[in-house]
Amino acid sequence: CSTGGPKALQSVIPKLKKDMDAPMLVVQHMPAGFTLSLANRLNEISEVDVKEAEEGDVLRKGVVYIAKGGSHMELRNNGRESVIHLNTSPPRDGLRPCANIMYESLCNLNYDEIICVVLTGMDSDGTVGIRELKKHKKINVIAQDADSSVVYGMPKAIYEAGLVNEVVALDKIADTIMRKVEVQ
């Protein structure tokens, strides 16, 4: 998510159940210094644990990892575990963190199925990465609808690319995620 994302995340993350059977990764377009307070605020009002991603974090079920502002978040396999790697390589398409980089890094992870959620924001970040991810993994893509988006750019781009499985109003996204995560 991008423009309108912090408010959208406050409508989604607090509705997730603490026994969520998956980790969650969030790329919110924010500069360095702002994502820690966002993560702390969301952690205070949520059942799930929410934290700003740190180098070397091992992904755990029921934990939401927010990409550190000013850093790209990538995932790597470390044996049977998936580990977060942060880097400050140049912005991609003017963005750091960039969702495309995060999605592309999921291609080689030990997960059979991945749920992608694209929320409010300008431009098309996420579309290239999800297209690449679809070549390697079974994915299910949820896009926020136009009416509930502050800016219907990123969800519109992914929809127009033909990659969306469901278009959902913001107030229904958490339930949609939980329904899909619970299905094994």
Side-chain angles (χ1 to χ4, degrees):
C1 47
S2 187
T3 307
K7 186 172 182 180
L9 292 172
Q10 286 185 33
S11 296
V12 174
I13 293 174
K15 294 179 182 176
L16 300 174
K17 306 296 181 213
K18 69 178 176 182
D19 60 350
M20 182 172 66
D21 194 27
M24 177 181 270
L25 307 167
V26 174
V27 174
Q28 164 64 55
H29 298 153
M30 286 184 128
F34 292 93
T35 49
L36 179 59
S37 61
L38 174 65
N40 289 342
R41 173 69 182 133
L42 289 169
N43 190 57
E44 290 172 4
I45 61 174
S46 302
E47 287 184 31
V48 292
D49 291 327
V50 182
K51 69 180 305 276
E52 182 183 59
E54 297 177 69
E55 180 67 28
D57 277 345
V58 175
L59 295 190
R60 300 284 180 229
K61 293 177 182 180
V63 179
V64 177
Y65 302 88
I66 297 181
K68 185 175 184 174
S71 297
H72 295 301
M73 179 169 62
E74 298 177 283
L75 286 295
R76 297 180 177 167
N77 284 324
N78 183 9
R80 293 177 130 347
E81 298 178 320
S82 299
V83 178
I84 291 176
H85 171 65
L86 302 175
N87 75 67
T88 55
S89 60
R92 182 160 159 196
D93 299 322
L95 302 169
R96 191 176 61 208
C98 175
N100 284 324
I101 290 173
M102 189 269 301
Y103 282 125
E104 290 164 0
S105 77
L106 298 175
C107 292
N108 297 315
L109 288 190
N110 298 325
Y111 292 97
D112 295 326
E113 185 173 355
I114 297 172
I115 299 167
C116 306
V117 181
V118 181
L119 300 176
T120 180
M122 296 180 359
D123 297 319
S124 62
D125 189 27
T127 302
V128 169
I130 290 173
R131 184 178 288 120
E132 184 62 24
L133 183 58
K134 187 174 183 172
K135 295 176 188 176
H136 301 273
K137 299 287 181 184
K138 179 180 177 187
I139 64 171
N140 192 296
V141 181
I142 302 164
Q144 184 177 350
D145 70 354
D147 290 343
S148 66
S149 293
V150 173
V151 177
Y152 188 58
M154 289 167 47
K156 180 180 179 183
I158 198 82
Y159 177 80
E160 289 180 347
L163 296 169
V164 173
N165 297 94
E166 286 184 74
V167 176
V168 181
L170 181 61
D171 64 348
K172 303 289 186 211
I173 289 178
D175 290 338
T176 304
I177 292 169
M178 291 305 300
R179 183 172 31 87
K180 294 187 179 309
V181 168
E182 292 172 352
V183 176
Q184 300 298 321

